[in-house]
């Protein structure tokens, strides 16, 4: 499904959908598993979820979250870590139990990386899989940090970041050379196994790559293009790609 409207409208619509699902599960004493993204794109969505919590009493006590990725080499409390981002924009402002929050660690020793990543996958599976996944897209065509060349079968793992991705993050880190070179990311398979996906892309800079992803060939060169085969993805943009 493709919807074109403002990012605020999209954020409200997605937040309402998440809220309805949380409340439905609460009725049956069940939990909801959310896959979450970082970057500027989902910020209005997180603001809206916080508003639903503070103004409309939406509780997140039955919610588990799994973040897509984290930069390697950054401590959790580094100001540019995705841990810091998530606690600042969402987790510190809602009532989710801390033990329900999962974000890949950027601090795993190389020797233990594989076991750690397999453990991340297993925890998602043990909770029944991701019910709703939030996604943005990078100008390289990545989802999570699945850069061009990522296989559709890939699972959570350590990856090398594309130069476009590092260039786009350069201002955050005070220069290209300061941007971490590697990250831990959920895999393509992990993401595509989600029951429902909300894909968001806003602004002119994302128009061309979004069009390639959804109107072009399905190819590992544009990892987001594999979303064309996902059974329940809503494409939320503020530009037309048709
Ligand atoms: P952005 O990043 O939301 O900051 O544009 C999205 C991404 O790189 O996946």
């Amino acid at each position: 499904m493709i919807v074109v409207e403002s990012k605020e409208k999209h954020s409200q619509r997605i937040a309402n959908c998440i809220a309805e699902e949380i409340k439905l599960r609460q009725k049956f004493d069940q939990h909801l598993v959310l896959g979450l993204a970082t970057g500027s794109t989902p910020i209005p969505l997180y603001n809206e979820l916080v508003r639903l919590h503070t103004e409309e009493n939406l509780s997140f006590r039955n919610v588990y979250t799994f973040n897509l990725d984290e930069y390697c080499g950054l401590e959790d409390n580094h100001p540019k870590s995705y841990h810091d981002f998530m606690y600042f924009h969402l987790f510190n402002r809602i009532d989710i139990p801390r033990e329900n929050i999962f974000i890949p660690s950027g601090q795993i020793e190389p020797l233990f990386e594989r076991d750690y990543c397999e453990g991340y996958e297993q925890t998602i599976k043990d909770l029944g899989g991701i019910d709703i996944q939030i996604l943005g897209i990078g100008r390289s065509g990545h989802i999570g940090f699945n850069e061009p060349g990522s296989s559709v079968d890939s699972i959570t793992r350590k990856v090398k970041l594309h130069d476009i991705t590092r260039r786009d993050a350069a201002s955050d880190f005070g220069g290209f050379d300061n941007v971490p070179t590697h990250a831990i990311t959920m895999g393509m398979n992990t993401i595509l196994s989600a029951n429902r996906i909300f894909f968001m892309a806003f602004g002119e800079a994302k128009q061309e790559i979004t069009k390639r992803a959804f109107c072009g060939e399905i190819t590992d060169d544009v990892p987001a293009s594999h979303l064309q085969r996902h059974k329940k993805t809503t494409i939320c943009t503020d530009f037309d790609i048709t």
Side-chain angles (χ1 to χ4, degrees):
M1 183 164 85
I2 302 174
V3 190
V4 181
E5 55 188 14
S6 72
K7 62 180 168 188
E8 288 76 22
K9 269 255 178 310
H10 280 302
S11 303
Q12 275 169 17
R13 188 192 291 265
I14 299 168
N16 285 339
C17 176
I18 291 172
E20 286 314 308
E21 209 52 47
I22 291 174
K23 287 189 261 182
L24 185 67
R25 307 279 171 127
Q26 281 166 356
K27 269 196 198 142
F28 296 100
D29 213 11
Q30 294 173 347
H31 64 257
L32 183 78
V33 180
L34 291 179
L36 298 179
T38 46
S40 57
T41 307
I43 291 176
L45 168 64
Y46 297 152
N47 288 338
E48 181 59 15
L49 289 173
V50 170
R51 194 195 66 75
L52 289 172
H53 171 65
T54 50
E55 292 178 19
E56 299 187 23
N57 289 327
L58 176 67
S59 172
F60 290 78
R61 299 206 67 80
N62 66 327
V63 175
Y64 288 82
T65 63
F66 287 87
N67 263 82
L68 285 166
D69 43 24
E70 179 60 282
Y71 290 110
C72 287
L74 299 194
E75 302 208 348
D76 293 358
N77 62 2
H78 187 286
K80 294 300 168 194
S81 77
Y82 287 160
H83 280 74
D84 188 80
F85 176 99
M86 288 307 303
Y87 278 87
F88 179 79
H89 288 287
L90 186 64
F91 299 144
N92 284 340
R93 302 159 73 196
I94 58 175
D95 65 343
I96 186 168
R98 292 298 177 257
E99 61 274 20
N100 291 11
I101 296 169
F102 297 90
I103 307 174
S105 170
Q107 291 277 287
I108 306 298
E109 295 287 331
L111 192 60
F112 303 115
E113 264 157 15
R114 209 173 146 162
D115 282 354
Y116 175 81
C117 292
E118 282 173 7
Y120 199 75
E121 290 282 323
Q122 194 56 48
T123 312
I124 295 173
K125 288 199 183 110
D126 290 346
L127 286 163
I130 293 172
D131 295 300
I132 300 176
Q133 175 70 53
I134 304 302
L135 282 185
I137 187 171
R139 288 190 311 126
S140 65
H142 71 207
I143 47 177
F145 273 139
N146 292 286
E147 300 288 17
S150 295
S151 148
V152 78
D153 299 321
S154 56
I155 62 166
T156 302
R157 67 205 187 286
K158 183 174 180 174
V159 292
K160 188 171 186 299
L161 296 176
H162 197 283
D163 273 0
I164 295 181
T165 301
R166 293 185 64 223
R167 271 205 298 277
D168 283 349
S171 61
D172 278 347
F173 285 89
F176 178 84
D177 291 338
N178 299 330
V179 181
T181 53
H182 291 77
I184 303 277
T185 183
M186 271 189 202
M188 291 299 293
N189 181 269
T190 329
I191 294 170
L192 294 168
S193 299
N195 273 329
R196 172 148 206 198
I197 295 176
F198 287 102
F199 169 95
M200 295 189 282
F202 305 128
E204 226 175 285
K206 298 293 174 75
Q207 189 160 359
E208 191 194 321
I209 191 64
T210 305
K211 200 173 165 96
R212 274 181 75 198
F214 291 103
C215 306
E217 185 195 346
I218 300 177
T219 163
D220 293 353
D221 293 342
V222 183
S225 66
H226 288 291
L227 291 168
Q228 291 183 42
R229 291 220 173 93
H230 187 264
K231 60 186 186 314
K232 211 170 177 193
T233 291
T234 307
I235 305 165
C236 306
T237 59
D238 58 0
F239 46 75
D240 200 358
I241 54 163
T242 54

